[in-house]
Amino acid sequence: MPPKIVEETANLISTMEIRGAGKIGRAAAQTLKDFAIGYRDADHIKFLKELNTAKETLLNTRPTAVSLANALNAVMSGVKGNSVDEIRNGVVNAADKFIVQSKKAVEKIAKMAAAKIKDGDSIMTHCNSTVVVKGIINAHEQDKRIHVFATETRPWQQGFITARALADAGVDVTLIVDSAARTFMTETDLVLVGADTIISNGTVINKIGTSQIALIAHENNVPVFVCAESYKFSKTARTDDQVTIEERDTSEIVEPSKLKGVKLRNPVFDSTPPKYIKAIITEYGIISPSEVREVITKI
Ligand code: RI2
């Protein structure tokens, strides 16, 4: 049985009360740290076993965003020594390091994304990405006159979170339904999206519908920029079929009794091929999808 603190965070991530690829990684790292701090037994072997159970419990919450696995592995890489104290210190230091670096990466990427936005630009974004929202707000704070199309993002409607955050910051934002993306692409200068997982061949896995938007952008010669911290790069997946696409409960789409006899599917991520992506903005700089492999060797 995983400890209560771990179960609680795992539950918050599964139910998407904590969501967003970066945030789930940071929350998981923080939880392993809190578990280690609160551990009271003196048996270090038992501690290691329980730490691994905690890690697995957190990992099994959502399968697609590699940021979760990378965050947990970063924390577990701090495990060393033959006493509870040594192991605890290692976990705490590694978790702190991951969280600080992750937040720094978000700030750095947001600045670079803001620099891509010109005065007068109209931006389209999909779902809710912390780093994209920050980048747009940065550009707005630089007195650039900008407008944003935020897609609703069915079925979870994370676009509402994006639209609310931008409007609260004073950004001119219009919420559109996902199927209106093509209609408004003709008025769009650039697309900015986040990422859950990036694989070595340059494919970007992000919220369902991202690939349609990227395809429409391509048709209209609108550049697509992906904002992604390096812990969203997968060190293991070589092709997109090696990444599990999460399928969530279909009751998120419609109350099942309303459509008796109808099958429902609810995959929540899709793959965007590298040919539809202009560049990926990382804390290491702005790279083309073909350079992903090189960045993976650095992380
Ligand atoms: P940041 C989200 O997933 C979206 O797909 C978003 O683009 C991505 O995480 C990255 O978010 P979900 O948790 O890390 O809403 O940029 O399914 O915040």
Side-chain angles (χ1 to χ4, degrees):
M1 264 288 277
K4 199 162 171 263
I5 182 181
V6 174
E7 285 231 316
E8 274 169 8
T9 304
N11 190 42
L12 290 172
I13 295 174
S14 300
T15 57
M16 289 178 62
E17 274 166 76
I18 299 174
R19 52 145 297 280
K23 283 190 185 131
I24 62 174
R26 286 189 291 274
Q30 181 67 44
T31 301
L32 277 190
K33 172 185 162 178
D34 292 344
F35 167 61
I37 289 173
Y39 194 77
R40 291 287 161 258
D41 205 297
D43 181 346
H44 81 279
I45 302 288
K46 194 171 159 214
F47 184 31
L48 280 179
K49 218 175 135 199
E50 290 196 24
L51 260 177
N52 274 308
T53 307
K55 177 197 163 180
E56 288 305 313
T57 305
L58 292 161
L59 186 62
N60 289 333
T61 51
R62 296 196 71 194
T64 304
V66 76
S67 51
L68 181 58
N70 284 344
L72 290 164
N73 288 336
V75 177
M76 294 303 279
S77 73
V79 170
K80 45 187 149 310
N82 294 317
S83 72
V84 169
D85 276 347
E86 278 177 293
I87 296 168
R88 181 190 292 116
N89 285 342
V91 167
V92 169
N93 291 338
D96 285 342
K97 189 174 164 203
F98 176 82
I99 294 167
V100 167
Q101 283 183 349
S102 158
K103 288 183 178 168
K104 272 193 193 156
V106 167
E107 295 302 327
K108 211 169 162 188
I109 296 166
K111 272 194 193 134
M112 289 189 267
K116 285 283 164 203
I117 300 171
K118 294 191 295 295
D119 189 34
D121 271 355
S122 199
I123 304 136
M124 187 176 289
T125 189
H126 185 54
C127 196
N128 175 251
S129 156
T130 310
V131 64
V132 168
V133 169
K134 268 187 196 284
I136 293 171
I137 293 175
N138 279 359
H140 170 72
E141 286 171 351
Q142 292 162 6
D143 290 331
K144 292 176 185 169
R145 286 157 300 175
I146 55 175
H147 168 262
V148 177
F149 289 114
T151 52
E152 178 191 14
T153 317
R154 278 274 295 155
W156 240 81
Q157 298 180 314
Q158 289 99 322
F160 287 16
I161 305 169
T162 297
R164 184 75 274 144
L166 294 176
D168 286 349
V171 178
D172 181 16
V173 55
T174 306
L175 186 96
I176 59 171
V177 294
D178 302 317
S179 44
R182 191 162 184 240
T183 298
F184 292 109
M185 194 59 79
T186 52
E187 298 170 37
T188 298
D189 298 291
L190 72 160
V191 171
L192 281 177
V193 289
D196 291 82
T197 293
I198 295 181
I199 56 181
S200 55
N201 65 8
T203 298
V204 171
I205 294 162
N206 191 46
K207 184 55 53 191
I208 191 89
T210 302
S211 66
Q212 289 176 7
I213 291 173
L215 182 63
I216 296 165
H218 181 75
E219 176 197 40
N220 285 273
N221 285 318
V222 172
V224 175
F225 293 95
V226 176
C227 297
E229 307 91 287
S230 58
Y231 51 87
K232 292 173 182 169
F233 288 52
S234 172
K235 289 182 192 172
T236 50
R238 307 211 173 279
T239 52
D240 53 353
D241 57 3
Q242 291 169 353
V243 177
T244 305
I245 297 294
E246 180 180 9
E247 282 221 33
R248 293 185 64 86
D249 201 288
T250 53
S251 62
E252 289 182 352
I253 301 176
V254 63
E255 212 270 288
S257 66
K258 286 192 178 158
L259 282 175
K260 276 199 181 116
V262 176
K263 286 183 200 148
L264 295 164
R265 296 282 305 269
N266 186 22
V268 299
F269 297 100
D270 69 15
S271 296
T272 299
K275 64 179 172 184
Y276 299 137
I277 297 160
K278 169 89 177 164
I280 302 169
I281 308 179
T282 81
E283 72 268 32
Y284 292 111
I286 302 178
I287 61 166
S288 79
S290 62
E291 291 170 306
V292 169
R293 220 176 290 272
E294 210 181 303
V295 170
I296 290 176
T297 62
K298 288 189 198 162
I299 55 176

